[in-house]
């Protein structure tokens, strides 16, 4: 299948990693130029951290950019950039997480003391979270490791030069990041400050929940879904390490699937466990596509009237801004491509009446969405490229699909 911009990546030269790098540089610039005087209680520590992180960026650019892509770093920095929350708690999350990642990468050139009371530190490189009861008084990040000054005044080692230090009293280590596939991990800790903001009318936030199932069950279910994606759209699957880092579990539902993502949280998605691996695969593709398009939208509006023109949605029960329709169709075009890939390969999952009906529903929903976008959209230059590739991909997928069953009220999940 021919490549399409931010839909199906070309072999050997994917576009998305370049967009992600631009967004990481934007977040880095915001951090390094944020006036320390705007947070008087952290002014000295922030000024010192900015100096050392700037040195690291000049000496170890790749390591710094990789660390900036960590959800605990880039999400609070993009929330800071958008001025959606007060700066102090955002910096208290982002800066220690970034410094810790640089220690892990052996890319921190000098020591930094972050003199803030800290209850929790997510150690992305160690697949764990460190919690402090009571809160630690300060954290010391050095080229050879990380230490904490506990509330008792004791200085304890958290990470050594070559390995994690033994867990000291007063510190709890929680295995919080379980491996899945393609570098994606299931996370039972979440630092997204917007996690309880909900855009779906039938849903109320994204509180972490395993829904009565253990981690192993979540891992096996999600890995089966990733296997379907790899079988159906292998080049798209190969781009996953650049586009999706963490999945946060938000319950189990055997009847419907609910997932979520946020513009300011690239690489992070919220997902419910579902017994059907095709449904889970669709949700993974859907939310990863949202992350890709949201990255582009941070750099280019794509639609000049994306937030001012409202329309009945082909995928939701409520009125939606035109940008919401774009997000939906952009998410479900690769889902349709996955359906076709599985059917063309004769995958057992495609040999099911439910699958054939579902494939037809997605094609119908995408067709309705494309018609709305082309009728109402006012596009930027990058947006026109995206629109044209979306249309070409949809037309190819619709032409290759079998005749649709009767679908009087077909809609897609939001």
């Amino acid at each position: 299948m021919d490549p399409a911009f931010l839909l199906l990546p070309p072999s050997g030269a994917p576009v998305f990693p370049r967009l992600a790098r631009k967004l990481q540089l934007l977040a880095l610039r915001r951090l390094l130029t944020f006036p320390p005087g705007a947070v008087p209680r952290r002014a000295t520590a922030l000024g010192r951290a900015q100096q050392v992180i700037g040195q690291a960026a000049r000496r170890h650019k790749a390591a710094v950019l990789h660390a900036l892509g960590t959800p605990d770093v880039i999400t609070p920095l993009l929330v800071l950039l958008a001025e959606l929350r007060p700066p102090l708690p955002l910096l208290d999350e982002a800066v220690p997480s970034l410094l810790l990642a640089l220690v892990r990468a052996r890319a921190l050139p000098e020591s930094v003391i972050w003199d803030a009371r800290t209850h929790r530190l997510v150690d992305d490189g160690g697949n764990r979270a460190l919690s402090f009861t009571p809160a630690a008084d300060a954290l010391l990040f050095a080229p050879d490791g990380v230490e904490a000054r506990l509330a008792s005044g004791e200085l304890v080692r958290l990470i050594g030069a070559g390995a994690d230090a033994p867990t000291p009293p007063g510190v709890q280590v929680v295995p919080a990041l379980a491996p899945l596939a393609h570098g994606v991990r299931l996370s039972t800790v979440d630092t997204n400050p917007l996690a309880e903001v909900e855009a779906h009318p039938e849903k109320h936030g994204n509180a972490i929940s395993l829904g009565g199932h253990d981690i192993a069950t979540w891992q096996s279910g999600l890995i089966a879904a990733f296997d379907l994606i790899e079988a159906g759209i292998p080049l798209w699957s190969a781009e996953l390490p650049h586009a999706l880092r963490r999945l946060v579990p938000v319950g189990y539902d055997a009847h419907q699937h609910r997932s979520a993502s946020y513009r300011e949280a690239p690489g992070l998605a919220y997902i419910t466990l579902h017994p059907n691996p095709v449904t889970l695969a669709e949700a993974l593709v859907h939310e990863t596509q949202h992350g890709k398009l949201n990255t582009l939208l941070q750099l280019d509006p794509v639609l000049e009237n994306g937030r001012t023109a409202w329309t009945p949605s082909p995928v939701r029960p409520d009125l939606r801004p035109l940008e919401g329709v774009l997000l939906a169709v952009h998410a479900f075009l690769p889902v349709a491509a996955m359906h076709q890939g599985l059917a063309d390969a004769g995958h057992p999952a495609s040999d099911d009446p439910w699958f054939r009906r579902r494939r037809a529903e997605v094609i119908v929903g995408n067709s309705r969405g494309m018609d709305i976008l082309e009728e109402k959209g006012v596009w930027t230059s990058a947006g026109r490229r995206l629109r044209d590739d979306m249309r070409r991909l949809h037309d190819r997928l619709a032409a290759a699909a079998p005749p649709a069953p009767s679908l009087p009220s077909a809609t897609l999940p939001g």
Side-chain angles (χ1 to χ4, degrees), residues 310-395:
W310 286 67
T311 178
S313 171
V315 300
R316 291 263 297 264
D318 51 340
L319 283 174
R320 296 293 291 154
L322 198 57
E323 186 178 280
V325 178
L326 172 63
L327 281 159
V329 180
H330 183 263
F332 277 98
L333 280 168
V335 168
M338 179 185 71
H339 290 161
Q340 180 177 322
L342 291 171
D344 290 348
H347 194 283
S350 67
D351 188 23
D352 185 299
W354 174 88
F355 180 92
R356 292 189 289 273
R357 180 178 178 83
R358 177 59 180 161
R359 183 180 178 188
E361 286 177 348
V362 172
I363 292 289
V364 170
N366 285 344
S367 181
R368 293 173 178 172
M370 284 304 310
D371 290 346
I372 292 170
L373 291 169
E374 291 176 331
E375 176 189 351
K376 298 181 180 293
V378 179
W379 302 83
T380 68
S381 176
R384 287 190 293 274
R385 177 187 176 190
L386 182 65
R387 176 202 62 196
D388 293 346
D389 276 12
M390 288 172 67
R391 169 52 70 182
R392 281 193 290 270
L393 178 58
H394 171 68
D395 288 348

Side-chain angles (χ1 to χ4, degrees), residues 124-196:
D124 183 82
N127 290 325
R128 61 183 190 164
L130 305 171
S131 63
F132 305 93
T133 306
D137 284 341
L139 299 170
L140 169 64
F141 301 90
D144 64 347
V146 180
E147 296 181 342
R149 187 173 70 235
L150 302 181
S152 64
E154 181 184 5
L155 192 65
V156 297
R157 192 85 163 163
L158 303 177
I159 297 173
D164 299 337
T167 304
V171 181
Q172 182 182 8
V173 177
V174 180
L177 295 161
L180 296 170
H182 301 283
V184 183
R185 289 170 293 174
L186 183 69
S187 178
T188 53
V189 63
D190 186 25
T191 58
N192 178 9
L194 305 179
E196 293 308 309

Side-chain angles (χ1 to χ4, degrees), residues 187-200 203-209 247-251 257-262 268-272 287:
S187 178
T188 53
V189 63
D190 186 25
T191 58
N192 178 9
L194 305 179
E196 293 308 309
V197 176
E198 185 53 68
H200 292 75
K203 203 163 156 284
H204 304 285
N206 293 289
I208 292 174
S209 169
L247 294 170
V248 177
V250 289
H257 188 274
R258 293 173 178 173
S259 58
S261 53
Y262 294 81
L268 178 67
Y270 298 82
I271 196 160
T272 54
E287 296 303 343

